[in-house]
Tab-separated table of all heavy atoms in Angstrom:
chain	number	residue	atom	x	y	z
P	325	PHE	N	7.838	-13.377	-6.204
P	325	PHE	CA	6.741	-14.215	-6.601
P	325	PHE	C	7.019	-15.682	-6.556
P	325	PHE	O	8.127	-16.136	-6.741
P	325	PHE	CB	6.278	-13.769	-8.002
P	325	PHE	CG	5.746	-12.409	-8.022
P	325	PHE	CD1	6.564	-11.393	-8.383
P	325	PHE	CD2	4.267	-12.211	-7.844
P	325	PHE	CE1	5.906	-10.110	-8.465
P	325	PHE	CE2	3.880	-10.960	-7.852
P	325	PHE	CZ	4.598	-9.780	-8.241
P	326	THR	N	6.013	-16.494	-6.307
P	326	THR	CA	6.050	-17.914	-6.360
P	326	THR	C	5.976	-18.228	-7.906
P	326	THR	O	5.656	-17.438	-8.718
P	326	THR	CB	4.858	-18.545	-5.719
P	326	THR	OG1	3.650	-18.146	-6.393
P	326	THR	CG2	4.745	-18.185	-4.269
P	327	PRO	N	6.320	-19.521	-8.375
P	327	PRO	CA	6.222	-19.967	-9.709
P	327	PRO	C	4.830	-19.762	-10.281
P	327	PRO	O	4.801	-19.513	-11.587
P	327	PRO	CB	6.637	-21.345	-9.626
P	327	PRO	CG	7.535	-21.472	-8.465
P	327	PRO	CD	6.923	-20.632	-7.503
P	328	ASP	N	3.720	-19.691	-9.500
P	328	ASP	CA	2.428	-19.592	-10.044
P	328	ASP	C	1.955	-18.106	-9.836
P	328	ASP	O	0.759	-17.894	-9.929
P	328	ASP	CB	1.388	-20.601	-9.255
P	328	ASP	CG	1.215	-20.377	-7.921
P	328	ASP	OD1	2.072	-19.644	-7.202
P	328	ASP	OD2	0.258	-20.879	-7.300
P	329	HIS	N	2.973	-17.157	-9.756
P	329	HIS	CA	2.587	-15.681	-9.950
P	329	HIS	C	2.015	-15.154	-8.653
P	329	HIS	O	1.168	-14.111	-8.841
P	329	HIS	CB	1.926	-15.368	-11.209
P	329	HIS	CG	2.607	-15.926	-12.309
P	329	HIS	ND1	3.872	-15.505	-12.800
P	329	HIS	CD2	2.285	-16.957	-13.182
P	329	HIS	CE1	4.274	-16.256	-13.860
P	329	HIS	NE2	3.343	-17.106	-14.143
P	330	LYS	N	1.998	-15.763	-7.537
P	330	LYS	CA	1.495	-15.204	-6.198
P	330	LYS	C	2.660	-14.483	-5.567
P	330	LYS	O	3.731	-14.876	-5.732
P	330	LYS	CB	0.843	-16.309	-5.373
P	330	LYS	CG	-0.182	-17.097	-6.048
P	330	LYS	CD	-1.422	-16.578	-5.998
P	330	LYS	CE	-2.453	-17.630	-6.443
P	330	LYS	NZ	-3.668	-17.156	-6.868
P	331	ILE	N	2.223	-13.452	-4.735
P	331	ILE	CA	3.309	-12.727	-4.072
P	331	ILE	C	3.753	-13.771	-2.912
P	331	ILE	O	3.002	-14.203	-2.122
P	331	ILE	CB	2.751	-11.413	-3.403
P	331	ILE	CG1	2.353	-10.510	-4.632
P	331	ILE	CG2	3.768	-10.828	-2.525
P	331	ILE	CD1	1.589	-9.344	-4.208
P	332	SER	N	5.089	-13.923	-2.882
P	332	SER	CA	5.622	-14.855	-1.767
P	332	SER	C	6.245	-13.976	-0.845
P	332	SER	O	6.321	-14.443	0.432
P	332	SER	CB	6.662	-15.806	-2.360
P	332	SER	OG	7.762	-15.048	-2.902
P	333	SER	N	6.714	-12.763	-1.002
P	333	SER	CA	7.251	-11.804	0.025
P	333	SER	C	7.238	-10.384	-0.492
P	333	SER	O	7.422	-10.223	-1.765
P	333	SER	CB	8.670	-12.288	0.521
P	333	SER	OG	9.474	-12.314	-0.561
P	334	LEU	N	7.120	-9.483	0.437
P	334	LEU	CA	7.023	-8.101	0.037
P	334	LEU	C	7.694	-7.285	1.103
P	334	LEU	O	7.628	-7.534	2.321
P	334	LEU	CB	5.497	-7.716	0.000
P	334	LEU	CG	5.167	-6.205	-0.209
P	334	LEU	CD1	5.647	-5.743	-1.566
P	334	LEU	CD2	3.719	-5.954	-0.021
P	335	ALA	N	8.527	-6.373	0.621
P	335	ALA	CA	9.240	-5.294	1.470
P	335	ALA	C	8.759	-3.998	1.186
P	335	ALA	O	8.711	-3.651	-0.134
P	335	ALA	CB	10.649	-5.491	1.484
P	336	LEU	N	8.288	-3.165	2.023
P	336	LEU	CA	7.966	-1.691	1.787
P	336	LEU	C	8.695	-0.821	2.648
P	336	LEU	O	8.787	-1.026	3.948
P	336	LEU	CB	6.458	-1.671	1.901
P	336	LEU	CG	5.525	-2.473	1.020
P	336	LEU	CD1	4.119	-2.263	1.484
P	336	LEU	CD2	5.692	-1.898	-0.456
P	337	ARG	N	9.392	0.206	2.146
P	337	ARG	CA	9.952	1.138	2.901
P	337	ARG	C	9.183	2.529	2.605
P	337	ARG	O	9.066	2.835	1.434
P	337	ARG	CB	11.396	1.279	2.588
P	337	ARG	CG	12.169	0.143	3.004
P	337	ARG	CD	13.719	0.125	2.614
P	337	ARG	NE	13.896	0.354	1.197
P	337	ARG	CZ	13.906	-0.572	0.354
P	337	ARG	NH1	13.567	-1.748	0.713
P	337	ARG	NH2	14.166	-0.203	-0.971
P	338	ALA	N	8.790	3.133	3.696
P	338	ALA	CA	7.965	4.374	3.472
P	338	ALA	C	8.541	5.616	4.132
P	338	ALA	O	9.030	5.689	5.124
P	338	ALA	CB	6.630	4.134	4.064
P	339	SER	N	8.561	6.652	3.275
P	339	SER	CA	8.765	8.029	3.699
P	339	SER	C	7.533	8.762	3.379
P	339	SER	O	7.339	9.346	2.354
P	339	SER	CB	10.016	8.570	2.979
P	339	SER	OG	10.271	9.967	3.324
P	340	ALA	N	6.564	8.629	4.341
P	340	ALA	CA	5.177	9.095	4.073
P	340	ALA	C	4.577	9.589	5.319
P	340	ALA	O	5.109	9.193	6.455
P	340	ALA	CB	4.363	8.122	3.417
P	341	CYS	N	3.416	10.088	5.284
P	341	CYS	CA	2.523	10.453	6.403
P	341	CYS	C	2.100	9.203	7.103
P	341	CYS	O	2.254	8.222	6.479
P	341	CYS	CB	1.453	11.469	6.052
P	341	CYS	SG	0.284	10.598	5.014
P	342	ALA	N	1.568	9.388	8.184
P	342	ALA	CA	1.027	8.168	8.955
P	342	ALA	C	-0.019	7.454	8.114
P	342	ALA	O	-0.068	6.186	8.166
P	342	ALA	CB	0.416	8.542	10.231
P	343	LEU	N	-0.798	8.148	7.400
P	343	LEU	CA	-1.852	7.314	6.543
P	343	LEU	C	-1.050	6.588	5.410
P	343	LEU	O	-1.595	5.473	5.209
P	343	LEU	CB	-2.751	8.356	5.842
P	343	LEU	CG	-3.739	9.107	6.843
P	343	LEU	CD1	-4.401	10.153	6.190
P	343	LEU	CD2	-4.852	8.002	7.316
P	344	GLY	N	-0.062	7.066	4.777
P	344	GLY	CA	0.667	6.341	3.779
P	344	GLY	C	1.241	5.163	4.348
P	344	GLY	O	1.405	4.083	3.827
P	345	GLN	N	1.896	5.275	5.589
P	345	GLN	CA	2.609	4.228	6.324
P	345	GLN	C	1.538	3.156	6.714
P	345	GLN	O	1.919	1.952	6.556
P	345	GLN	CB	3.337	4.791	7.472
P	345	GLN	CG	4.513	5.697	7.135
P	345	GLN	CD	5.122	6.285	8.317
P	345	GLN	OE1	5.368	5.562	9.298
P	345	GLN	NE2	5.599	7.434	8.361
P	346	ALA	N	0.392	3.663	7.181
P	346	ALA	CA	-0.694	2.696	7.579
P	346	ALA	C	-1.194	1.839	6.457
P	346	ALA	O	-1.268	0.702	6.557
P	346	ALA	CB	-1.762	3.391	8.227
P	347	SER	N	-1.254	2.561	5.296
P	347	SER	CA	-1.726	1.889	4.086
P	347	SER	C	-0.705	0.720	3.624
P	347	SER	O	-1.027	-0.303	3.271
P	347	SER	CB	-1.917	2.895	2.971
P	347	SER	OG	-2.346	2.154	1.757
P	348	ALA	N	0.615	1.243	3.729
P	348	ALA	CA	1.729	0.265	3.450
P	348	ALA	C	1.673	-0.917	4.420
P	348	ALA	O	1.869	-2.088	3.954
P	348	ALA	CB	3.092	1.000	3.441
P	349	ALA	N	1.499	-0.710	5.778
P	349	ALA	CA	1.410	-1.730	6.648
P	349	ALA	C	0.354	-2.665	6.392
P	349	ALA	O	0.484	-3.955	6.489
P	349	ALA	CB	1.391	-1.212	8.023
P	350	ILE	N	-0.773	-2.149	5.925
P	350	ILE	CA	-1.918	-3.046	5.664
P	350	ILE	C	-1.711	-3.903	4.421
P	350	ILE	O	-1.822	-5.142	4.433
P	350	ILE	CB	-3.289	-2.221	5.388
P	350	ILE	CG1	-3.734	-1.619	6.587
P	350	ILE	CG2	-4.402	-3.141	4.912
P	350	ILE	CD1	-4.769	-0.342	6.500
P	351	LEU	N	-1.051	-3.296	3.458
P	351	LEU	CA	-0.606	-4.069	2.274
P	351	LEU	C	0.336	-5.159	2.624
P	351	LEU	O	0.258	-6.240	2.176
P	351	LEU	CB	-0.071	-3.079	1.194
P	351	LEU	CG	0.432	-3.719	-0.108
P	351	LEU	CD1	-0.758	-4.510	-0.901
P	351	LEU	CD2	0.893	-2.669	-1.013
P	352	ARG	N	1.428	-4.702	3.296
P	352	ARG	CA	2.454	-5.734	3.667
P	352	ARG	C	1.963	-6.922	4.445
P	352	ARG	O	2.323	-8.018	4.264
P	352	ARG	CB	3.547	-5.007	4.347
P	352	ARG	CG	4.757	-5.878	4.642
P	352	ARG	CD	5.978	-5.159	5.160
P	352	ARG	NE	7.113	-5.926	5.196
P	352	ARG	CZ	7.239	-7.002	6.104
P	352	ARG	NH1	6.331	-7.441	6.942
P	352	ARG	NH2	8.406	-7.761	6.012
Side-chain angles (χ1 to χ4, degrees):
F325 290 93
T326 64
D328 64 345
H329 309 291
K330 305 276 188 199
I331 296 170
S332 63
S333 55
L334 174 64
L336 295 170
R337 293 180 303 284
S339 175
C341 67
L343 289 166
Q345 291 178 43
S347 182
I350 294 167
L351 176 61
R352 189 175 185 285

